[in-house]
Amino acid sequence: MVVGVGQLITLDSNVRDRLQHEKIEQVMCELADYPLGSGGVRVAYACKIQGHAPTYVAKRYVHQEGFLEDWIVAHVAWTMAEEYNKCKPPKKIRMLLPNMILVFNGVRYSLEEYLQGEWVKHNTIFGHLLTNRKTPDAFSHFSYQ
């Protein structure tokens, strides 16, 4: 565990086309030494912040310049999930809306609440189905329309 002081930036979730700071505070945080997982865009670490109840996933971007674009895409996906759920599908989509940034040791991380359980990837951005689940594919189709 790497322990130290970081800057926690809470963003205004209602502003979806730029990073609008709502609150900035200095926090004591613990970041895991080893990643929970990694991909071509992000590397994810377990993270605890003193005074905050949940454990977070701190996502470090492989290329920091992709941070803002990914933030905007996450907000678009969250909005699309709200619209999809209004159609009353058999199973609703729940998206985590990232609204916090941690700057720790000069590196910027996007923070999301850590969810217990096994993470399963159901499809790819290229349209390949990886499981037999219908809801992820239906949402992909809905959001593509």
Side-chain angles (χ1 to χ4, degrees), residues 78-99:
W78 186 80
T79 302
M80 297 293 289
E82 285 184 323
E83 292 302 312
Y84 177 82
N85 290 337
K86 286 178 186 176
C87 297
K88 302 197 184 308
K91 292 187 180 179
K92 290 187 174 187
I93 298 288
R94 179 178 172 233
M95 292 269 187
L96 294 176
L97 184 63
N99 74 327

mmCIF file of all heavy atoms in Angstrom, residues 78-99:
data_model
loop_
_atom_site.group_PDB
_atom_site.id
_atom_site.type_symbol
_atom_site.label_atom_id
_atom_site.label_comp_id
_atom_site.label_asym_id
_atom_site.label_seq_id
_atom_site.Cartn_x
_atom_site.Cartn_y
_atom_site.Cartn_z
ATOM 1 N N TRP A 78 -24.016 7.238 -19.197
ATOM 2 C CA TRP A 78 -24.918 7.319 -18.045
ATOM 3 C C TRP A 78 -26.260 7.906 -18.470
ATOM 4 O O TRP A 78 -27.322 7.406 -18.092
ATOM 5 C CB TRP A 78 -24.261 8.164 -16.956
ATOM 6 C CG TRP A 78 -25.021 8.193 -15.673
ATOM 7 C CD1 TRP A 78 -25.034 7.232 -14.707
ATOM 8 C CD2 TRP A 78 -25.867 9.243 -15.216
ATOM 9 N NE1 TRP A 78 -25.839 7.629 -13.670
ATOM 10 C CE2 TRP A 78 -26.356 8.863 -13.954
ATOM 11 C CE3 TRP A 78 -26.235 10.482 -15.740
ATOM 12 C CZ2 TRP A 78 -27.216 9.657 -13.217
ATOM 13 C CZ3 TRP A 78 -27.091 11.279 -15.003
ATOM 14 C CH2 TRP A 78 -27.573 10.867 -13.760
ATOM 15 N N THR A 79 -26.230 8.947 -19.296
ATOM 16 C CA THR A 79 -27.459 9.569 -19.808
ATOM 17 C C THR A 79 -28.226 8.580 -20.677
ATOM 18 O O THR A 79 -29.454 8.476 -20.583
ATOM 19 C CB THR A 79 -27.123 10.847 -20.602
ATOM 20 O OG1 THR A 79 -26.417 11.741 -19.743
ATOM 21 C CG2 THR A 79 -28.368 11.526 -21.115
ATOM 22 N N MET A 80 -27.511 7.835 -21.515
ATOM 23 C CA MET A 80 -28.153 6.832 -22.370
ATOM 24 C C MET A 80 -28.803 5.731 -21.525
ATOM 25 O O MET A 80 -29.880 5.242 -21.863
ATOM 26 C CB MET A 80 -27.138 6.221 -23.336
ATOM 27 C CG MET A 80 -26.525 7.196 -24.312
ATOM 28 S SD MET A 80 -27.666 7.851 -25.507
ATOM 29 C CE MET A 80 -27.967 6.444 -26.521
ATOM 30 N N ALA A 81 -28.167 5.341 -20.436
ATOM 31 C CA ALA A 81 -28.740 4.328 -19.541
ATOM 32 C C ALA A 81 -30.034 4.843 -18.919
ATOM 33 O O ALA A 81 -31.011 4.088 -18.795
ATOM 34 C CB ALA A 81 -27.736 3.943 -18.461
ATOM 35 N N GLU A 82 -30.074 6.118 -18.546
ATOM 36 C CA GLU A 82 -31.314 6.700 -18.016
ATOM 37 C C GLU A 82 -32.431 6.614 -19.056
ATOM 38 O O GLU A 82 -33.565 6.257 -18.733
ATOM 39 C CB GLU A 82 -31.097 8.165 -17.625
ATOM 40 C CG GLU A 82 -30.320 8.373 -16.359
ATOM 41 C CD GLU A 82 -30.224 9.843 -15.994
ATOM 42 O OE1 GLU A 82 -30.103 10.701 -16.894
ATOM 43 O OE2 GLU A 82 -30.295 10.138 -14.794
ATOM 44 N N GLU A 83 -32.109 6.939 -20.303
ATOM 45 C CA GLU A 83 -33.102 6.900 -21.382
ATOM 46 C C GLU A 83 -33.552 5.462 -21.664
ATOM 47 O O GLU A 83 -34.739 5.201 -21.870
ATOM 48 C CB GLU A 83 -32.542 7.539 -22.658
ATOM 49 C CG GLU A 83 -32.320 9.037 -22.539
ATOM 50 C CD GLU A 83 -33.593 9.796 -22.189
ATOM 51 O OE1 GLU A 83 -34.634 9.540 -22.833
ATOM 52 O OE2 GLU A 83 -33.549 10.625 -21.259
ATOM 53 N N TYR A 84 -32.620 4.532 -21.666
ATOM 54 C CA TYR A 84 -32.932 3.116 -21.880
ATOM 55 C C TYR A 84 -33.886 2.610 -20.800
ATOM 56 O O TYR A 84 -34.873 1.930 -21.094
ATOM 57 C CB TYR A 84 -31.625 2.312 -21.883
ATOM 58 C CG TYR A 84 -31.808 0.825 -22.017
ATOM 59 C CD1 TYR A 84 -32.001 0.239 -23.262
ATOM 60 C CD2 TYR A 84 -31.772 -0.007 -20.900
ATOM 61 C CE1 TYR A 84 -32.155 -1.134 -23.391
ATOM 62 C CE2 TYR A 84 -31.926 -1.375 -21.022
ATOM 63 C CZ TYR A 84 -32.118 -1.932 -22.262
ATOM 64 O OH TYR A 84 -32.270 -3.295 -22.387
ATOM 65 N N ASN A 85 -33.598 2.955 -19.551
ATOM 66 C CA ASN A 85 -34.430 2.494 -18.433
ATOM 67 C C ASN A 85 -35.842 3.064 -18.488
ATOM 68 O O ASN A 85 -36.785 2.444 -17.982
ATOM 69 C CB ASN A 85 -33.761 2.822 -17.099
ATOM 70 C CG ASN A 85 -32.529 1.976 -16.867
ATOM 71 O OD1 ASN A 85 -32.385 0.892 -17.433
ATOM 72 N ND2 ASN A 85 -31.632 2.464 -16.035
ATOM 73 N N LYS A 86 -36.029 4.229 -19.111
ATOM 74 C CA LYS A 86 -37.366 4.806 -19.267
ATOM 75 C C LYS A 86 -38.241 3.946 -20.181
ATOM 76 O O LYS A 86 -39.462 4.022 -20.123
ATOM 77 C CB LYS A 86 -37.279 6.225 -19.836
ATOM 78 C CG LYS A 86 -36.789 7.249 -18.844
ATOM 79 C CD LYS A 86 -36.686 8.613 -19.508
ATOM 80 C CE LYS A 86 -36.061 9.624 -18.572
ATOM 81 N NZ LYS A 86 -35.868 10.930 -19.236
ATOM 82 N N CYS A 87 -37.614 3.108 -21.013
ATOM 83 C CA CYS A 87 -38.352 2.202 -21.911
ATOM 84 C C CYS A 87 -38.855 0.955 -21.175
ATOM 85 O O CYS A 87 -39.474 0.083 -21.794
ATOM 86 C CB CYS A 87 -37.464 1.784 -23.083
ATOM 87 S SG CYS A 87 -36.975 3.154 -24.133
ATOM 88 N N LYS A 88 -38.579 0.879 -19.875
ATOM 89 C CA LYS A 88 -38.994 -0.234 -19.016
ATOM 90 C C LYS A 88 -38.531 -1.606 -19.526
ATOM 91 O O LYS A 88 -39.338 -2.516 -19.761
ATOM 92 C CB LYS A 88 -40.503 -0.207 -18.808
ATOM 93 C CG LYS A 88 -40.996 1.098 -18.206
ATOM 94 C CD LYS A 88 -42.365 0.968 -17.643
ATOM 95 C CE LYS A 88 -42.921 2.268 -17.120
ATOM 96 N NZ LYS A 88 -42.193 3.025 -16.214
ATOM 97 N N PRO A 89 -37.221 -1.776 -19.696
ATOM 98 C CA PRO A 89 -36.709 -3.082 -20.127
ATOM 99 C C PRO A 89 -36.868 -4.119 -19.008
ATOM 100 O O PRO A 89 -37.043 -3.747 -17.842
ATOM 101 C CB PRO A 89 -35.226 -2.797 -20.393
ATOM 102 C CG PRO A 89 -34.902 -1.687 -19.446
ATOM 103 C CD PRO A 89 -36.149 -0.834 -19.401
ATOM 104 N N PRO A 90 -36.786 -5.414 -19.334
ATOM 105 C CA PRO A 90 -36.903 -6.449 -18.294
ATOM 106 C C PRO A 90 -35.849 -6.297 -17.190
ATOM 107 O O PRO A 90 -36.133 -6.541 -16.031
ATOM 108 C CB PRO A 90 -36.695 -7.756 -19.054
ATOM 109 C CG PRO A 90 -36.913 -7.440 -20.485
ATOM 110 C CD PRO A 90 -36.628 -5.985 -20.664
ATOM 111 N N LYS A 91 -34.642 -5.892 -17.576
ATOM 112 C CA LYS A 91 -33.576 -5.634 -16.593
ATOM 113 C C LYS A 91 -33.010 -4.252 -16.878
ATOM 114 O O LYS A 91 -32.611 -3.963 -18.006
ATOM 115 C CB LYS A 91 -32.469 -6.685 -16.690
ATOM 116 C CG LYS A 91 -32.930 -8.039 -16.245
ATOM 117 C CD LYS A 91 -31.792 -9.012 -16.180
ATOM 118 C CE LYS A 91 -32.319 -10.355 -15.721
ATOM 119 N NZ LYS A 91 -31.280 -11.349 -15.647
ATOM 120 N N LYS A 92 -32.975 -3.423 -15.849
ATOM 121 C CA LYS A 92 -32.474 -2.059 -16.014
ATOM 122 C C LYS A 92 -30.952 -2.036 -16.021
ATOM 123 O O LYS A 92 -30.293 -2.925 -15.487
ATOM 124 C CB LYS A 92 -33.000 -1.163 -14.889
ATOM 125 C CG LYS A 92 -34.481 -0.907 -14.999
ATOM 126 C CD LYS A 92 -34.920 0.109 -13.991
ATOM 127 C CE LYS A 92 -36.388 0.456 -14.223
ATOM 128 N NZ LYS A 92 -36.816 1.545 -13.386
ATOM 129 N N ILE A 93 -30.420 -0.983 -16.617
ATOM 130 C CA ILE A 93 -28.976 -0.732 -16.650
ATOM 131 C C ILE A 93 -28.633 0.191 -15.483
ATOM 132 O O ILE A 93 -29.312 1.195 -15.249
ATOM 133 C CB ILE A 93 -28.569 -0.040 -17.979
ATOM 134 C CG1 ILE A 93 -28.880 -0.921 -19.180
ATOM 135 C CG2 ILE A 93 -27.119 0.416 -17.946
ATOM 136 C CD1 ILE A 93 -27.973 -2.105 -19.333
ATOM 137 N N ARG A 94 -27.594 -0.142 -14.757
ATOM 138 C CA ARG A 94 -27.088 0.732 -13.691
ATOM 139 C C ARG A 94 -25.665 1.103 -14.042
ATOM 140 O O ARG A 94 -24.825 0.231 -14.245
ATOM 141 C CB ARG A 94 -27.120 0.026 -12.347
ATOM 142 C CG ARG A 94 -26.576 0.905 -11.244
ATOM 143 C CD ARG A 94 -26.640 0.226 -9.891
ATOM 144 N NE ARG A 94 -25.932 1.039 -8.923
ATOM 145 C CZ ARG A 94 -24.977 0.592 -8.135
ATOM 146 N NH1 ARG A 94 -24.643 -0.672 -8.159
ATOM 147 N NH2 ARG A 94 -24.365 1.398 -7.292
ATOM 148 N N MET A 95 -25.418 2.392 -14.146
ATOM 149 C CA MET A 95 -24.078 2.890 -14.474
ATOM 150 C C MET A 95 -23.497 3.619 -13.264
ATOM 151 O O MET A 95 -24.219 4.306 -12.546
ATOM 152 C CB MET A 95 -24.126 3.904 -15.618
ATOM 153 C CG MET A 95 -24.507 3.353 -16.929
ATOM 154 S SD MET A 95 -23.009 2.857 -17.762
ATOM 155 C CE MET A 95 -23.672 2.433 -19.335
ATOM 156 N N LEU A 96 -22.223 3.473 -13.076
ATOM 157 C CA LEU A 96 -21.522 4.290 -12.092
ATOM 158 C C LEU A 96 -21.117 5.588 -12.775
ATOM 159 O O LEU A 96 -20.527 5.560 -13.860
ATOM 160 C CB LEU A 96 -20.270 3.579 -11.585
ATOM 161 C CG LEU A 96 -20.494 2.320 -10.774
ATOM 162 C CD1 LEU A 96 -19.150 1.680 -10.444
ATOM 163 C CD2 LEU A 96 -21.248 2.627 -9.506
ATOM 164 N N LEU A 97 -21.462 6.699 -12.170
ATOM 165 C CA LEU A 97 -21.105 7.990 -12.741
ATOM 166 C C LEU A 97 -19.882 8.514 -12.002
ATOM 167 O O LEU A 97 -19.970 8.892 -10.840
ATOM 168 C CB LEU A 97 -22.267 8.973 -12.612
ATOM 169 C CG LEU A 97 -22.044 10.327 -13.245
ATOM 170 C CD1 LEU A 97 -21.871 10.189 -14.754
ATOM 171 C CD2 LEU A 97 -23.215 11.244 -12.953
ATOM 172 N N PRO A 98 -18.719 8.493 -12.645
ATOM 173 C CA PRO A 98 -17.526 8.998 -11.955
ATOM 174 C C PRO A 98 -17.636 10.510 -11.756
ATOM 175 O O PRO A 98 -17.910 11.245 -12.694
ATOM 176 C CB PRO A 98 -16.386 8.642 -12.909
ATOM 177 C CG PRO A 98 -17.017 8.486 -14.236
ATOM 178 C CD PRO A 98 -18.438 8.077 -14.003
ATOM 179 N N ASN A 99 -17.473 10.947 -10.517
ATOM 180 C CA ASN A 99 -17.524 12.389 -10.264
ATOM 181 C C ASN A 99 -16.401 12.848 -9.337
ATOM 182 O O ASN A 99 -16.473 13.916 -8.769
ATOM 183 C CB ASN A 99 -18.891 12.800 -9.703
ATOM 184 C CG ASN A 99 -19.074 12.388 -8.265
ATOM 185 O OD1 ASN A 99 -18.574 11.362 -7.837
ATOM 186 N ND2 ASN A 99 -19.796 13.186 -7.501
#
